[in-house]
Amino acid sequence: MSQDLQKPTGERRKEIAKEVGHKCLVSRRNFLISTGVTTTIMITMNPGTPMAEEVPAQITEFPRKLIAKMSELELDKPFDFSYPDEGEHADSMIVKMGVKAGGGIGEGQDVVAFNYACTHQGGSLYDSYKPDTKSLGACPLHLSTYDLTRHGILISGQAYQSLPQVLLELDGDDIYATGIFGLIFGRKDNLHG
Ligand code: FES
């Protein structure tokens, strides 16, 4: 297992931003490192269409929190946890998908974690994981569906921002959450409503 997967430091966060820009077919502009803790990038959703819109995405580090054991994860069976706190819209899930994913950890780079709150109007995506498409959704409110192999980018529906991805760190068998890529619905930042 490579060192950068175990230690998603500043370099790892930049790699994630690059993957979003190049693999997810969204353009990356105004790459700003504002504080050393929070990185803000501007991404364009629906590029090349009349609905193209530039929206902010953030990578924010938080204190490490032990959320799961790698050896206890079962293929395509999400495990739930709260992050970065126990507040509103903190419900999140981690899943081993069996296919390589952006930001994935583990030998297959197939373990990822995401917040459950739909970025459109906060509908809960709890219990909506689809093993066949490695997606979360459809949202019960307006049917948004998100691709968990590509940093939670929108597949279809009313939302226009990707699902916030929980950044993970592997330490032996322990999996820690260390930050969030994206903004949790209903919060001005990921720690305050
Ligand atoms: S709240 Fe999920 S699509 Fe509207």
Side-chain angles (χ1 to χ4, degrees):
M1 189 173 307
S2 66
Q3 184 71 14
D4 64 339
L5 289 175
Q6 295 178 1
K7 302 286 183 189
T9 57
E11 280 306 309
R12 180 65 186 134
R13 296 198 310 277
K14 288 177 188 174
E15 283 174 21
I16 290 173
K18 265 189 202 167
E19 288 176 33
V20 170
H22 296 297
K23 291 186 181 174
C24 298
L25 301 179
V26 292
S27 61
R28 182 170 59 99
R29 296 181 190 171
N30 302 336
F31 186 68
L32 306 173
I33 299 178
S34 55
T35 64
V37 174
T38 299
T39 299
T40 301
I41 63 175
M42 301 301 290
I43 61 176
T44 301
M45 306 304 294
N46 302 318
T49 74
M51 294 180 64
E53 181 178 3
E54 206 169 59
V55 296
Q58 293 182 329
I59 298 175
T60 312
E61 281 188 59
F62 298 108
R64 293 166 103 219
K65 177 181 179 183
L66 180 62
I67 57 168
K69 298 275 189 187
M70 182 65 83
S71 60
E72 294 176 358
L73 291 180
E74 296 179 53
L75 184 64
D76 286 325
K77 296 211 172 145
F79 179 80
D80 298 335
F81 63 97
S82 291
Y83 193 75
D85 50 34
E86 304 295 320
E88 195 172 15
H89 302 309
D91 292 343
S92 305
M93 58 84 86
I94 183 170
V95 64
K96 178 176 176 62
M97 302 192 293
V99 298
K100 185 176 176 180
I105 64 166
E107 290 184 4
Q109 298 177 36
D110 62 340
V111 174
V112 290
F114 286 87
N115 181 266
Y116 267 135
C118 178
T119 59
H120 180 225
Q121 291 180 2
S124 175
L125 297 164
Y126 174 75
D127 205 23
S128 69
Y129 176 71
K130 303 291 186 302
D132 53 344
T133 54
K134 313 300 179 190
S135 63
L136 264 186
C139 173
L141 298 189
H142 315 98
L143 306 180
S144 288
T145 302
Y146 301 88
D147 184 349
L148 304 194
T149 69
R150 298 196 299 158
H151 301 288
I153 198 168
L154 186 71
I155 297 172
S156 62
Q158 297 286 314
Y160 58 90
Q161 290 195 35
S162 299
L163 203 58
Q165 182 168 13
V166 179
L167 303 183
L168 300 175
E169 178 181 325
L170 186 60
D171 185 356
D173 192 40
D174 295 334
I175 300 175
Y176 291 87
T178 62
I180 296 180
F181 177 40
L183 185 62
I184 295 174
F185 175 82
R187 298 189 181 204
K188 294 189 185 70
D189 61 60
N190 286 324
L191 283 181
H192 302 95

